[in-house]
Amino acid sequence: MGEVMAVTYRSVTIGGGIQLCHVPSDKFKTVHMALLVRRRLSKAEATQTALIPPVLARGSAAYPTLSAINARAEALYGAVLDCGIVKKGEEQIIQFYAETLSEAVANDLPVDGLALLGAVALNPVKENGGFRAATVLGAIKNQRRILAGRVNNKKTYALERLIEEQCKNEPFGVSADGYAADLAAINPVGLYAHYERVLAEAPIDLIVVGDCDTDKLARQTERLFDGRRSAAPTPVAEADGAFPSVQPDARPRVVTERQAVAQTRLCLGFRCGVRPQAAAFYALLVLNDLLGGGANNRLFAKIREQESLCYDIGSLLYRFKSILCVQAGIARKDGEKVERLVLAELDDIKNGGLSDGETDRAKNSLIKEYATLSDDPHAVMDFYFAEALLREQGGVQATIEGIRAVSKAAVQAVAAKITLDTVYILCDGKEASS
Amino acid sequence: METWETVKTAALLNETLIIRQLASGLTVYAVPKKRYAKRQALLCVRYGSADGSFAADGLRRDTPEGTAHFLEHKLFEEPDGGNAFSRFAALGVACNAFTTLNLTGYGFVCADGERFEESLSLLLSFTRQPYFTADNIEKERGIIEREIDLYADDPRQAVHLNLLRALYHTHPARHPIAGTADSIRAVTAELLYDCYDAFYQPANMALIVAGDTDIDRVCALAETIVAAPPAAAPPVRLYGDEPKTAAQTVIQATMGVSPPLFQLGFKETALDGGFSPAKKNAAAKVLLDSIAGDSGDFYAEMVQKGLIDDSFGANYISGPSFGVSLFGGFSVSPATVRDCLAQAIRKLRQDGIPDALFDRIKKKHMGSFIRGFNALDAIVFGQADAFAKGTDLIELWKGYHHLTKGDIMEWLCTQLNEETAMALSVID
């Protein structure tokens, strides 16, 4: 194998209990920064938290309108400034992201990405003890449209609905974009109070990839957050029952939804029962790759190429919730057959049908992805984001070693624990032809 | 055929593009990225869904919609019943393909330096070995029908395809790339062989590589595997005589989308004296942002009136025989947005564009272009797009770098004809 590109990084807790992870690199033309403010997902809070990023993006003291902040970003050679929500496991994370040209590239116009982030995240325009009313109204209107528009992308909509149904009574089933029904109750003063509380209490991670000085970043971050943090930020604890077990012989729950669609979306939700930090997680990662996540996987080879039953089919793994989903776009009449074929592939793996070659190919493919992470600043950020959530500091090398240690028997063992507990079908409203 | 090499660089961009034409007519583009661990390769053919009608060997062919895309799917098939996907998987390499209006592409990303040449050999050889049979075509029909269904449920695909139908009377840009369930029933093995022979000639193709590659080795492999063809005249593409006007001004379809999704388009009319593809690309995109970008007055006014939101954006698409400037997003009243935009365009023609606005938008596009060079896939797909347009990445960069306000005013005064060449597509 080619040489592993080493990813060095510094991870340090700075003032205000903020965790800074800096991956120095002068390979890219850019510097990337993500400020992550983390809350436990809850139905009671989800909508308020989801509104914080669009409200802040539309009005900070230094850039009081969307035009002003966009004009500033354009003048900085098209700096990217994004405020949004990310869902990872049972956390709802407010993400402030800045991408700027590095000083080596834009030497006529040095850009301070952290100052830009701070200006937007920490200094909103205020009015009568709360956020500016017009800004909140604009953000609510936009959010209403986003929530109503979920249904337009059938593939992502079907996956979201699967999770909503599968995890009806768990935080993971809560929408990180909030709920339309909650929007009417949002007011500028209440929302501002929620924002201040979140800023004071939530665990915060700052991940930086690029050519900067770590100590300078640390000191600047401390200054920005001075006076905003409580003495002891609340850690986001794992909920009891985050990884519920499922009786292996229990019948899966089937949910069918009807819309005017040309193609049926079939989603199968499996519980895996593997904690994200467990050594067995790597075996699950390998299983997902060879089943439906990697190149020329079993589902692609069997259900698409051999049986011609679909164009898109695959599996994905929600690491922080230990849920594996298989999704496919199919003709309505083929639903039962495709489900049967998917389960047959899993059964084959459970019953020792894996070959050494198949396992090794999946392992090698995954190892190579991690070994070449350093080519993509976004992949680097995602990796250290996951490390922050796992409270781990093993780095890329530990992940590679974990995958390398996976045996065929371990993949078979983890497959044996996987149980289908929910099936979600999105199909047209006409009567089934079979 | 004549062989040559040129090495291009550009100030500020700090990147190199090596271009070599081989004896077979194949053009190789390489962007060295020495510190990257991955290597990426893409083989492109100037053949897409807009090339449905052509003349080869003196004979006119009118092929069913979706033929180029079907060919792309079937080229992976091998005589022993296997397919090239599995062979790439055995090498531990991810492979993919795509078809657009003007281009078909086959590529891979290799994270293992030792496997790059093997993967490249496979890429070059499987695309030289077409194998089409009635059976393997029949098998693929089911897969492509599922793909067509996937797009049929996507309002963004629908609003765009309808816009092209509204703008173009007969030009093949108005045909869906994957075809329809009916049109692909007419695809036969003989048809695919004829199209392959006409278009998959090395002189009509480019190999693009990015990463820490050895261009001499890459060219040596290409010279061995992609042989010089018998002297065949290139196919003559028949796009028809397209009037300058839009075919219809409004087109609407219902898919249960609320608020409605819209796309407003302006059909490009060829410039007398013509801008180069690179200058046109830069002028069109910078102009669109100057009119309706999210830092400007038009955008702010439309948001304030509740007519658009942050889904609103603009884009410019073009190929050898067509071009469209687009604006789109969700709106409670797309017709009102159209009328306001038409008014804003007229005003800009009259008053000109402020220097400060132009400078800022130009900087934004330059920055975005530079950032693209962080990623190998942005480089190879960017060069593929440039190849389809008859240019290259360095020329595209120069198009932005040397762009003047006079250029975009000249573009504005001859394009975006809201009287006769504009159409509105709405999905509600």
Side-chain angles (χ1 to χ4, degrees), chain A residues 26 30 145 262-263 305, chain B residues 35 139 146 153 295 309 374:
Chain A
D26 61 355
T30 40
R145 194 265 306 161
Q263 176 170 88
E305 292 296 295
Chain B
R35 296 169 63 192
K139 198 176 81 50
R146 298 291 76 75
D153 284 334
S295 68
D309 57 27
N374 270 347

Side-chain angles (χ1 to χ4, degrees), chain B residues 18-82:
Chain B
I18 306 167
I19 311 174
R20 281 195 194 165
Q21 179 157 295
L22 307 186
S24 63
L26 180 72
T27 311
V28 178
Y29 298 86
V31 176
K33 296 290 270 184
K34 290 252 171 266
R35 296 169 63 192
Y36 281 63
K38 289 184 180 177
R39 292 166 177 83
Q40 189 154 355
L42 187 66
L43 184 69
C44 304
V45 187
R46 274 202 196 103
Y47 174 48
S49 63
D51 298 308
S53 294
F54 62 93
D57 300 326
L59 283 172
R60 181 184 173 117
R61 301 299 303 270
D62 293 297
T63 63
E65 292 173 22
T67 299
H69 173 256
F70 211 121
L71 202 169
E72 174 232 300
H73 269 241
K74 283 335 293 173
L75 201 55
F76 284 88
E77 202 82 33
E78 296 187 322
D80 63 0

Side-chain angles (χ1 to χ4, degrees), chain B residues 65-214:
Chain B
E65 292 173 22
T67 299
H69 173 256
F70 211 121
L71 202 169
E72 174 232 300
H73 269 241
K74 283 335 293 173
L75 201 55
F76 284 88
E77 202 82 33
E78 296 187 322
D80 63 0
N83 67 63
F85 277 123
S86 321
R87 295 218 278 145
F88 275 107
L91 292 174
V93 165
C95 167
N96 219 324
F98 64 88
T99 308
T100 67
L101 283 158
N102 295 118
L103 210 64
T104 311
Y106 305 84
F108 68 87
V109 181
C110 185
D112 179 351
E114 290 163 5
R115 285 278 157 92
F116 178 72
E117 287 192 14
E118 259 183 278
S119 306
L120 184 59
S121 298
L122 178 56
L123 177 69
L124 292 169
S125 57
F126 96 79
T127 49
R128 300 314 296 160
Q129 291 158 13
Y131 179 69
F132 312 126
T133 66
D135 283 345
N136 73 29
I137 282 172
E138 191 51 42
K139 198 176 81 50
E140 199 69 27
R141 258 193 260 283
I143 297 171
I144 295 180
E145 279 172 8
R146 298 291 76 75
E147 187 178 353
I148 290 169
D149 285 345
L150 179 69
Y151 303 146
D153 284 334
D154 187 345
R156 291 161 306 172
Q157 296 268 351
V159 79
H160 183 63
L161 185 61
N162 280 355
L163 176 70
L164 294 175
R165 285 184 177 140
L167 285 175
Y168 289 94
H169 297 254
T170 56
H171 189 285
R174 69 194 313 277
H175 299 154
I177 294 172
T180 64
D182 281 336
S183 71
I184 64 173
R185 263 179 225 125
V187 171
T188 63
E190 193 186 338
L191 172 71
L192 293 187
Y193 276 118
D194 288 345
C195 293
Y196 180 91
D197 290 340
F199 289 100
Y200 279 65
Q201 300 179 25
N204 198 36
M205 296 167 68
L207 173 65
I208 303 163
V209 297
D212 189 6
T213 59
D214 179 340

Side-chain angles (χ1 to χ4, degrees), chain A residues 29-334:
Chain A
K29 300 191 184 289
T30 40
V31 176
H32 305 250
M33 298 189 182
L35 187 66
L36 307 162
V37 182
R38 301 160 53 186
R39 290 297 268 187
R40 171 143 219 86
L41 258 174
S42 79
K43 257 208 173 97
E45 238 188 49
T47 309
Q48 280 203 302
T49 302
L51 276 176
I52 290 173
V55 166
L56 293 174
R58 282 163 171 73
S60 63
Y63 311 104
T65 63
L66 210 47
S67 302
I69 185 67
N70 290 334
R72 179 71 183 135
E74 283 168 357
L76 297 174
Y77 282 105
V80 173
L81 184 60
D82 191 57
C83 308
I85 293 283
V86 175
K87 179 174 171 177
K88 280 256 193 252
E90 296 186 329
E91 290 192 34
Q92 183 181 22
I93 300 165
I94 300 171
Q95 176 177 261
F96 301 98
Y97 174 76
E99 185 176 313
T100 53
L101 289 186
S102 67
E103 230 172 280
V105 176
N107 49 23
D108 62 325
L109 191 63
V111 182
D112 188 340
L114 192 52
L116 203 56
L117 276 185
V120 171
L122 299 169
N123 293 287
V125 173
K126 287 176 68 180
E127 187 181 83
N128 301 323
F131 288 119
R132 189 171 57 197
T135 306
V136 174
L137 273 173
I140 286 175
K141 207 167 163 183
N142 207 55
Q143 198 72 3
R144 208 181 287 283
R145 194 265 306 161
I146 286 170
L147 290 170
R150 282 191 323 154
V151 75
N152 296 329
N153 183 329
K154 302 303 178 194
K155 185 171 170 176
T156 54
Y157 176 75
L159 276 170
E160 283 172 13
R161 286 287 296 121
L162 169 73
I163 297 299
E164 263 177 26
E165 293 295 337
Q166 185 176 17
C167 302
K168 255 177 136 58
N169 303 312
E170 300 157 59
F172 193 58
V174 173
S175 163
D177 292 323
Y179 299 89
D182 297 343
L183 290 172
I186 304 285
N187 69 79
V189 172
L191 189 62
Y192 186 82
H194 178 66
Y195 156 73
E196 283 281 296
R197 196 166 47 243
V198 166
L199 219 49
E201 294 172 358
I204 292 182
D205 288 81
L206 174 65
I207 304 176
V208 179
V209 176
D211 192 12
C212 325
D213 181 309
T214 316
D215 292 327
K216 202 170 145 200
L217 279 172
R219 301 291 82 78
Q220 192 180 356
T221 308
E222 284 169 344
R223 276 198 303 277
L224 283 172
F225 278 90
D226 189 30
R228 308 298 284 274
R229 302 283 284 157
S230 70
T234 324
V236 181
E238 193 175 275
D240 294 336
F243 305 102
S245 58
V246 177
Q247 291 305 316
D249 52 357
R251 289 177 68 86
R253 197 170 141 245
V254 180
V255 177
T256 305
E257 188 173 335
R258 298 185 200 283
Q259 289 180 12
V261 288
Q263 176 170 88
T264 292
R265 300 298 313 177
L266 173 68
C267 296
L268 308 175
F270 297 85
R271 300 272 185 179
C272 308
V274 176
R275 298 194 119 69
Q277 299 94 336
F281 165 73
Y282 295 114
L284 186 55
L285 196 64
V286 172
L287 173 66
N288 179 63
D289 192 87
L290 58 90
L291 177 67
N296 207 37
N297 56 74
R298 279 188 172 226
L299 298 181
F300 182 91
K302 176 76 180 180
I303 301 176
R304 171 173 152 159
E305 292 296 295
Q306 192 178 315
E307 300 287 334
S308 302
L309 289 171
C310 60
Y311 167 70
D312 76 297
I313 184 164
S315 64
L316 60 130
L317 187 58
Y318 293 102
R319 175 179 191 172
F320 296 96
K321 186 61 185 172
S322 204
I323 282 176
L324 185 145
C325 296
V326 170
Q327 58 77 30
I330 59 173
R332 176 125 172 236
K333 61 178 175 59
D334 296 326

